[in-house]
């Protein structure tokens, strides 16, 4: 198992464009999380999937953000009409779902909106 | 709502010396988990150590140990015999232990640790 994989690693986009990020969790991990990390801050929770069901969304996730996890495998996070304030590192994490098990993080996608 | 506070934005330690990173948290829950994560420049978050709130014994992982004070809501990380590879951003994080919760992590703002040779 190669761990949590995120693609792309870096994305530069113009303001107003749409972007989509992909996360491939560790196989058989049924829990998947998206976090956003801005410079000098800790990661902030965005949304959570258990299998294919999106069970929680943070208030940080505005209407321009949407996430999916079809068939409970990989997940995508789309940002529509990007704004400069969306510039951040977007982290994906997965866990097996057991109460005492850690979350495993990917290397993140760094988004820069110019 | 739970919060995690790390009051030391930056710390520095000499190689082979010991350093302690501070973390306090606020919660009304009685059962939870606390974590220290390390984020090297490559940016992949790695778990350093975990503490279950119901356990009185402080967790230890090789050179890393914690001082967990539940009543004071304090959770500090001690790194002994510091190595150059320990240089990274360290995040303290909280997670509820209650069934049905998302088990999302709530992070502090981090402490950037520099290790001087």
């Amino acid at each position: 198992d190669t761990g949590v994989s995120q693609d792309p690693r870096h994305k530069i986009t113009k303001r107003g464009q749409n972007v989509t990020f992909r996360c491939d969790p560790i196989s058989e991990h049924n829990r998947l999380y998206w976090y956003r990390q801005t410079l000098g801050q800790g990661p902030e929770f965005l949304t959570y999937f258990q299998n294919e069901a999106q069970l929680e969304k943070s208030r940080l996730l505005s209407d321009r953000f949407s996430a999916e996890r079809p068939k409970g495998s990989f997940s995508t996070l789309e940002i529509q009409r990007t704004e400069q304030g969306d510039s951040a590192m977007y982290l994906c994490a997965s866990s097996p779902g057991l109460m005492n098990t850690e979350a495993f993080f990917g290397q993140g996608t760094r988004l820069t909106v110019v | 709502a739970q919060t995690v506070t790390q009051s030391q934005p930056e710390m520095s330690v000499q190689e082979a010396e010991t350093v302690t990173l501070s973390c306090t948290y606020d919660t009304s829950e009685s059962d939870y988990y606390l974590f220290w994560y390390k984020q090297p420049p490559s940016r992949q978050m790695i778990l350093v150590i975990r503490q279950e709130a119901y356990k009185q014994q402080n967790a230890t992982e090789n050179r890393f140990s914690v001082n967990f004070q539940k009543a004071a809501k304090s959770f500090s990380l001690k790194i002994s015999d510091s190595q150059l590879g320990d240089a990274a951003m360290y995040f303290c994080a909280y997670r509820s232990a209650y069934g049905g919760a998302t088990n999302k992590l709530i992070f502090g703002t981090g402490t950037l640790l520099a290790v001087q040779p």
Side-chain angles (χ1 to χ4, degrees):
Chain A
D1 197 336
T2 57
V4 179
S5 177
Q6 291 188 246
D7 183 69
R9 293 288 309 281
H10 304 275
K11 178 70 176 180
I12 300 174
T13 190
K14 292 183 178 179
R15 189 173 51 188
Q17 297 295 304
N18 299 345
V19 294
T20 300
F21 310 141
R22 178 181 170 120
C23 171
D24 286 272
I26 294 171
S27 58
E28 300 184 356
H29 278 194
N30 63 1
R31 294 185 177 225
L32 186 146
Y33 305 82
W34 285 98
Y35 292 84
R36 182 172 69 186
Q37 184 178 18
T38 53
L39 203 60
Q41 299 296 316
E44 296 175 292
F45 171 77
L46 290 179
T47 191
Y48 159 66
F49 289 86
Q50 185 165 322
N51 299 312
E52 67 276 10
Q54 187 175 20
L55 297 184
E56 185 173 343
K57 292 192 291 186
S58 162
R59 279 171 283 185
L60 292 175
L61 216 64
S62 76
D63 292 344
R64 298 183 296 105
F65 287 70
S66 62
E68 294 182 340
R69 192 183 182 196
K71 302 179 182 179
S73 55
F74 70 91
S75 176
T76 58
L77 177 67
E78 180 183 16
I79 308 174
Q80 295 182 327
R81 305 182 302 283
T82 52
E83 302 172 356
Q84 286 190 322
D86 297 331
S87 296
M89 177 73 82
Y90 290 84
L91 297 171
C92 177
S94 70
S95 76
L98 299 175
M99 291 301 293
N100 61 349
T101 302
E102 71 182 273
F104 294 81
F105 284 81
Q107 290 187 294
T109 294
R110 175 164 293 286
L111 173 66
T112 302
V113 181
V114 298
Chain B
Q2 296 84 20
T3 59
V4 177
T5 301
Q6 292 180 251
S7 58
Q8 303 158 315
E10 296 181 14
M11 292 283 285
S12 182
V13 63
Q14 291 291 126
E15 199 174 359
E17 297 295 308
T18 296
V19 65
T20 298
L21 308 184
S22 301
C23 172
T24 58
Y25 59 95
D26 190 27
T27 183
S28 58
E29 297 176 334
S30 58
D31 200 10
Y32 47 86
Y33 298 93
L34 295 166
F35 304 84
W36 279 98
Y37 276 89
K38 172 184 178 182
Q39 191 177 41
S42 68
R43 309 290 287 197
Q44 185 167 25
M45 202 89 67
I46 303 166
L47 179 67
V48 174
I49 197 164
R50 168 180 48 228
Q51 175 78 43
E52 290 91 341
Y54 65 87
K55 290 186 177 179
Q56 291 186 331
Q57 187 172 6
N58 289 325
T60 299
E61 288 287 342
N62 300 315
R63 298 182 295 108
F64 299 87
S65 61
V66 298
N67 183 3
F68 173 49
Q69 301 290 327
K70 191 172 184 179
K73 296 180 181 174
S74 171
F75 182 61
S76 62
L77 174 71
K78 185 171 82 171
I79 306 174
S80 303
D81 185 25
S82 297
Q83 301 175 359
L84 295 176
D86 295 333
M89 182 72 87
Y90 286 82
F91 290 100
C92 178
Y94 172 102
R95 194 185 84 190
S96 174
Y98 289 97
T102 64
N103 291 339
K104 64 189 176 191
L105 291 163
I106 299 169
F107 288 89
T109 52
T111 296
L112 182 62
L113 178 67
V115 180
Q116 307 299 331

